[in-house]
DNA sequence: TGTACATCAGTGAACGCGCGTTCACTGATGTAC
DNA sequence: TGTACATCAGTGAACGCGCGTTCACTGATGTAC
């Protein structure tokens, strides 16, 4: 087998092992030793492929973002009204988070040490996600400029994220999933109606 | 000096030291040794007053909740419309979070080890906060039952939390505070308008 | 008020554990002739 | 094709550090007489 091929295979095995570990028990359960055991290599070998564990986590998170993006893309209904589309997105977000709690948490939990910043390809993956929100938002509020639309998309994403994150959190009183889904629908569609109305007034 | 008095004084000093440490550098910078140095006692003395550091963090968080509650209470405008009141609450949340980033983050970041659950007095402090949301919400949607209202208040809180948390997070592209404030106002008032409208339709 | 004693707050060195990362070594792979 | 050599992926024991918590000890405080 070619050396590069081996190296790539190990890389994939390590990412898979890391993903598995996070999936099972959360980001904080990621241990270099267990990882190596799972991927069938020595601890030291990890550092031939990745500079450190942070880079590995970043790779896992990139994969999660990607899977989430195709999950959302797979649910798109081109016929839907903007309001329905936004509600559908929130619903997809809830379903993905509920189905992959640890992987999803890891996206937000993981912080790089002070000096280092998130690589561009990671930011690009985020941007691709936000695009799914921008599309219906543009139809809902046609008067919005590109910058305003991007900003508002991010804000709507954040609001949805908050509802899902605290809703799934067992720290407060736990809420049944379907109750949470109904709450999301109520609030997101209210936002959509209110935004459309505000936009119509502004550009009347 | 009385022994109980000493003990109580030490307790206060420890909480103050812990609060200071979190305030300066975040929850993860809390160290038993630094704490003891700051409070002027030996490491071991901490464990005469608190069972462990978690209990100390809980005490700091309780104080933060309390301060936030009076902050919100101090801004109440009885004359405001429900929509204005809700926007005002979101604004207060943003201001408090921006002014106390580390203390505020600690409220959500801190997790108890698996077996232990949050004490009742802590949950009660949370409930007192949610009450501030429930009041205007009740005026906005008079048809809501107490349970529905409490649930929706919590959901609105979560949405606001999400916008503030991701907005202040430097992990994404940073947003100027005033831009964030405007976004919050836009979205919260849209939600309020949409909810009032939906409620009116439902109970027409 | 003074003395002897008991209690327990207070001490801080040491324990114990976890864990990321390194590094001197080895052996398989690839290359040159 | 065969042989000698160089490279470097792969190894895993050991390093190094951080840090919460304990515990045998001490001395100040409070009590009994």
């Amino acid at each position: 087998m070619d050396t590069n091929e081996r190296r790539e295979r190990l890389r994939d095995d390590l990412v898979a092992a890391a993903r598995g570990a996070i999936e099972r028990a959360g980001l904080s359960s990621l241990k270099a030793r267990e990882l190596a055991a799972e991927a069938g290599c020595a601890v030291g070998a990890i550092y031939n492929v990745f500079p450190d564990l942070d880079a590995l986590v970043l790779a896992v998170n990139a994969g999660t973002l990607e899977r989430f993006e195709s999950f959302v893309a797979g649910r798109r209904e081109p016929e839907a009204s903007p309001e329905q589309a936004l509600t559908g997105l929130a619903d997809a977000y809830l379903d993905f988070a509920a189905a992959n709690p640890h992987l999803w948490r890891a996206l937000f939990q993981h912080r790089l040490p002070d000096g280092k910043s998130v690589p561009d390809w990671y930011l690009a993956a985020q941007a691709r996600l936000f695009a799914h929100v921008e599309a219906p938002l543009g139809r809902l509020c046609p008067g919005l400029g590109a910058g305003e639309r991007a900003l508002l998309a991010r804000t709507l994403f954040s609001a949805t994220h908050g509802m899902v994150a605290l809703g799934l959190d067992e720290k407060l009183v736990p809420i049944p999933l379907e109750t949470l889904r109904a709450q999301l629908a109520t609030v997101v569609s209210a936002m959509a109606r209110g935004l459309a109305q505000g936009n119509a007034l502004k550009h009347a």
Side-chain angles (χ1 to χ4, degrees), chain A residues 58 112-120:
Chain A
L58 223 50
L112 291 165
D114 269 355
K116 291 158 87 178
S117 62
V118 187
D120 286 343

Side-chain angles (χ1 to χ4, degrees), chain A residues 1-11 48-49:
Chain A
M1 192 179 354
D2 185 87
T3 299
N4 278 329
E5 202 180 319
R6 280 184 77 84
R7 187 188 167 88
E8 207 139 303
R9 173 112 66 123
L10 179 58
R11 202 202 108 98
N48 283 336
V49 184

Side-chain angles (χ1 to χ4, degrees), chain A residues 1 3-4 27 46 63 78 85 102 104-105 134 136 143 160 163-164 176 178 183 190-191 195 198:
Chain A
M1 192 179 354
T3 299
N4 278 329
L27 183 57
I46 297 172
H102 287 132
W104 167 71
R105 256 175 216 294
E134 288 190 46
T160 306
M163 291 187 275
V164 172
E178 292 314 318
Q183 289 286 300
M191 281 196 306
L195 282 173

